[in-house]
Amino acid sequence: MSATARSRRSKATRDAHLFPTRPYDLVKEFVVAMLVVGILTVLLAVVFSSPDRKAVTLAAWAKAAPNDVVATATAELAGTSTSAGYGPPYNHAAPGQNLGPLRLQRLGGVRIPIDSANDLVISPLSAVTGDAALSVALRTWRSASDVQRTTWAGHYADALAAVADGDPAKVAAGTYGPVPILANRLMSLARSGSLEGLLTSGGTFYSSDETKPLLLLTDGTYLEEQARADHLGGDQWGMMNETGNYPGQPWMWLYTFWYQVKPFSTSTNADALVWGLMAALTLIFTFVPFVPGLRSLPRHLGVHRLIWRQRP
Amino acid sequence: MTTNQPDPRSWTVRLRTRLARTVPAGQLLPDRQPAYVRSWIYVFGVASLAAFVYVIASGLVLSLKGSAWWHTSSAGHFVNSTHLWSVELFFMFMVIHLWGKFFMAAWRGRRALTWITGAVAFIGSVGTAFTGYLSQSNFDSQWTAGQAKDGLNAVGIGSVFNVLNTGQMLLWHVMLLPLVLGVLIVLHIVLVRRHGVVPPFDAIPPDRDHAEVTGPPGADDALSPEPVAPVLR
Amino acid sequence: MITAGGLLSGHAHFLHWGVVQISLANLLVIVMMAVLFLLAVIIPFPHAQHSAVEQEQADDH
């Protein structure tokens, strides 16, 4: 064994255990910690309770903002909703975000295929029986070409956007094909409370996957308006926040911070860029012991002099 | 001839020897600590551990009557409140513990893995808390899921870890992530016990001749020997 | 549906400084952490001065 190796070995065992010691009751410390933390937890729970803002049902959405449901259904049919133009993992409508040369979103593939018009509007409407006008509208839609469908839906979307509050009753006559009936019936279906079930069943008795109803809900503006009113928007540091006056996830401060500043705040690629940056920072944080400069920083900061006031 | 000597080829003996070497008996639950362990900053590790116990305990109670219980029962809501506040305390204590360990450069003296397991446990806790928000089945879950999917999809993992799939998120939250976190915390504590509490900068044990282990001064990394300098004061 | 009846269920308070927006609750949590950290490094640990420190036999295991 070389002198260096012996020195290292000697070092490996020359450790905390070689210093003078004093009695320290670890078990007592743990029990006291359990007591203190337990009392604190119960006290905070009793005094402050916890938030539980009800989920927005599709029925509540349709009752509170029927015109938003109609506009969203129209956008799904026109292929202009967020989900319809999303790209992977839902469809091929867009290439998705990239991290420099890495097209990570595309690499992930279309693994949760969603055809917004069919899956979120036409398919649930097809389950409705006893509505002759709807049956005719569905038949017309199915027999039309893709171009014809998007033209109808696009015109209707423009017409809705042109009137106050997007109120379908105020829309001028036009060549909208079956779209007004389809959009109106989806709103009625939502209002009746049966749309969730039709979106989640997918041919199985059990459902634990809310992908489709959540995509539909987030394609509308109602949920976002509610969230922004509670400071939960992405550009409001929303990731850290909680409904009401409750503390949220303050530990997310750095992740949400990047979304507030350029270039991220103005980039269409922000999610991938922030993810990449946070991944790099997380690696640095994890491997601080090996990062030259950073690993020596605590010695120079001198806070250790407060912790170890007397030398052994 | 038979003998009572343990057979060194026995897998059981080898495992026993390995375990005993990892944390020698006296180091697992020592009743003494180095004299330099005398600051309140040292209690935040055990405070984090205590808060973690309450997080798990309140989570277990919440799971007894199913994921929707806390919406409809005031007892359930109270248990949910203890779950929330123990999580807030867990993060508070863990971050203070992290600050303390950073300022002590507690990775010195072959303690890099202790730092790394702690750091990964912290990141894992952030992920676990995140899946908790997704599992609440309320407005928070809807909004969080809708927002988070964009980040995850942008880097191509949204289909594997689908935040809109509530069943998947609930199972990650109540089973997979706490299990991983528990293992990380156990590893972290075993490493702390194995290596002991990091000594102050440049400190050397008294009454020993350390001439042979003198290392380069200022080497605050985790693998090279502790820099040795004359005992201060 | 049981709704939160705690002290914090009212209208949220937010603070703004330039690009920074933070809820009062989150700010209090962060301030509390900073205060706890400062107290932890400033307040002397009990028995630190008069506890008997014994020199244990150095054990080169």
Side-chain angles (χ1 to χ4, degrees):
Chain A
M1 189 186 285
S2 72
T4 316
R6 195 163 53 241
S7 160
R8 289 216 177 109
R9 190 176 169 75
S10 169
K11 163 63 197 105
T13 52
R14 170 189 161 267
D15 208 281
H17 311 100
L18 301 178
F19 287 84
T21 63
R22 65 187 184 87
Y24 199 104
D25 198 337
L26 286 175
V27 173
K28 187 174 167 188
E29 184 187 46
F30 178 71
V31 171
V32 172
M34 285 296 292
L35 277 173
V36 172
V37 177
I39 290 168
L40 270 176
T41 300
V42 171
L43 264 181
L44 288 164
V46 167
V47 176
F48 296 126
S49 186
S50 53
D52 186 18
R53 184 165 165 188
K54 262 169 105 165
V56 174
T57 60
L58 299 183
W61 177 28
K63 280 170 195 156
N67 299 348
D68 186 38
V69 181
V70 170
T72 306
T74 306
E76 307 294 8
L77 294 173
T80 54
S81 69
T82 306
S83 68
Y86 198 92
Y90 309 125
N91 48 51
H92 296 284
Q97 300 189 27
N98 57 290
L99 194 56
L102 294 174
R103 299 212 145 268
L104 293 175
Q105 186 159 355
R106 190 151 64 187
L107 276 175
V110 178
R111 303 274 196 85
I112 309 174
I114 305 272
D115 173 348
S116 293
N118 258 324
D119 292 339
L120 306 182
V121 181
I122 301 299
S123 174
L125 284 178
S126 304
V128 177
T129 54
D131 184 337
L134 175 61
S135 299
V136 172
L138 284 169
R139 267 201 304 277
T140 313
W141 178 265
R142 288 196 185 103
S143 58
S145 67
D146 282 348
V147 176
Q148 178 67 76
R149 289 173 181 170
T150 30
T151 308
W152 282 333
H155 284 165
Y156 192 52
D158 293 343
L160 284 171
V163 297
D165 298 330
D167 185 353
K170 295 177 188 158
V171 166
T175 51
Y176 311 132
V179 174
I181 291 181
L182 296 173
N184 171 272
R185 294 304 195 272
L186 192 79
M187 192 271 291
S188 306
L189 199 56
R191 193 193 287 255
S192 74
S194 36
L195 185 53
E196 271 109 337
L198 291 168
L199 286 171
T200 52
S201 63
T204 172
F205 182 81
Y206 293 101
S207 168
S208 58
D209 184 353
E210 272 68 41
T211 301
K212 286 179 191 169
L214 276 172
L215 283 178
L216 180 66
L217 189 60
T218 51
D219 279 343
T221 58
Y222 179 71
L223 186 77
E224 183 167 14
E225 282 166 12
Q226 304 295 305
R228 293 194 68 82
D230 255 335
H231 280 82
L232 300 177
D235 56 356
Q236 298 172 302
W237 297 66
M239 223 179 273
M240 282 172 80
N241 297 339
E242 176 57 275
T243 54
N245 255 321
Y246 287 89
Q249 303 181 75
W251 48 89
M252 298 291 265
W253 70 272
L254 188 59
Y255 187 75
T256 190
F257 163 75
W258 300 117
Y259 283 95
Q260 322 302 320
V261 294
K262 287 179 180 176
F264 312 102
S265 61
T266 51
S267 169
T268 52
N269 219 19
D271 291 307
L273 292 177
V274 172
W275 254 88
L277 179 61
M278 285 304 286
L281 292 174
T282 301
L283 276 177
I284 293 173
F285 163 64
T286 307
F287 294 103
V288 160
F290 305 106
V291 181
L294 198 51
R295 66 185 178 194
S296 309
L297 195 59
R299 170 187 290 273
H300 305 299
L301 291 173
V303 179
H304 62 90
R305 291 193 194 94
L306 285 170
I307 297 167
W308 296 307
R309 284 179 238 197
Q310 294 160 305
R311 308 312 300 231
Chain B
M1 194 177 87
T2 58
T3 169
N4 285 336
Q5 289 299 309
D7 179 357
R9 288 167 306 176
S10 158
W11 289 15
T12 308
V13 172
R14 284 186 197 175
L15 178 63
R16 190 174 65 210
T17 314
R18 183 73 188 79
L19 289 176
R21 211 171 59 220
T22 302
V23 184
Q27 280 170 236
L28 184 61
L29 272 180
D31 56 349
R32 304 182 69 81
Q33 285 296 321
Y36 53 77
V37 180
R38 54 177 164 222
S39 166
W40 282 105
I41 199 67
Y42 287 108
V43 306
F44 286 93
V46 76
S48 311
L49 183 63
F52 181 72
V53 171
Y54 284 106
V55 173
I56 295 292
S58 54
L60 288 175
V61 178
L62 276 177
S63 62
L64 279 178
K65 294 196 78 172
S67 58
W69 175 54
W70 75 283
H71 295 303
T72 54
S73 144
S74 46
H77 192 99
F78 173 73
V79 178
N80 179 73
S81 303
T82 61
H83 196 58
L84 167 73
W85 288 105
S86 54
V87 167
E88 294 286 345
L89 290 172
F90 175 58
F91 272 97
M92 283 177 76
F93 296 150
M94 186 165 42
V95 171
I96 296 171
H97 175 64
L98 167 68
W99 290 344
K101 293 300 153 188
F102 175 77
F103 287 123
M104 291 187 233
W107 50 78
R108 289 172 295 129
R110 293 180 178 269
R111 291 176 179 81
L113 202 53
T114 316
W115 172 273
I116 291 169
T117 49
V120 176
F122 173 67
I123 297 156
S125 304
V126 172
T128 311
F130 166 66
T131 54
Y133 280 84
L134 296 173
S135 304
Q136 289 183 93
S137 56
N138 61 12
F139 178 81
D140 273 0
S141 310
Q142 291 178 305
W143 179 249
T144 308
Q147 290 289 290
K149 75 173 193 305
D150 297 334
L152 293 152
N153 288 336
V155 288
I157 52 178
S159 58
V160 182
F161 184 81
N162 179 11
V163 291
L164 306 183
N165 185 337
T166 325
Q168 185 190 8
M169 290 305 109
L170 182 65
L171 288 173
W172 275 71
H173 182 66
V174 303
M175 182 68 215
L176 292 172
L177 291 174
L179 191 67
V180 171
L181 203 50
V183 169
L184 279 169
I185 291 174
V186 167
L187 277 176
H188 184 68
I189 294 171
V190 164
L191 284 166
V192 171
R193 291 278 36 97
R194 171 175 164 76
H195 294 290
V197 181
V198 73
F201 288 93
D202 301 336
I204 56 166
D207 305 321
R208 286 176 63 77
D209 176 11
H210 291 279
E212 62 162 333
V213 297
T214 300
D220 289 338
D221 67 295
L223 294 178
S224 69
E226 265 287 83
V228 175
V231 181
L232 304 177
R233 275 198 285 270
Chain C
M1 169 76 61
I2 306 290
T3 50
L7 294 175
L8 302 180
S9 49
H11 185 70
H13 300 285
F14 276 80
L15 299 125
H16 299 244
W17 297 281
V19 76
V20 178
Q21 292 185 50
I22 190 165
S23 73
L24 185 63
N26 276 348
L27 181 69
L28 284 177
V29 166
I30 293 168
V31 167
M32 196 97 75
M33 284 160 62
V35 168
L36 272 177
F37 177 80
L38 281 177
L39 291 178
V41 293
I42 288 170
I43 296 179
F45 197 64
H47 313 300
Q49 302 305 317
H50 44 85
S51 120
V53 174
E54 295 171 25
Q55 174 66 52
E56 280 201 331
Q57 183 61 44
D59 178 19
D60 235 356
H61 40 245

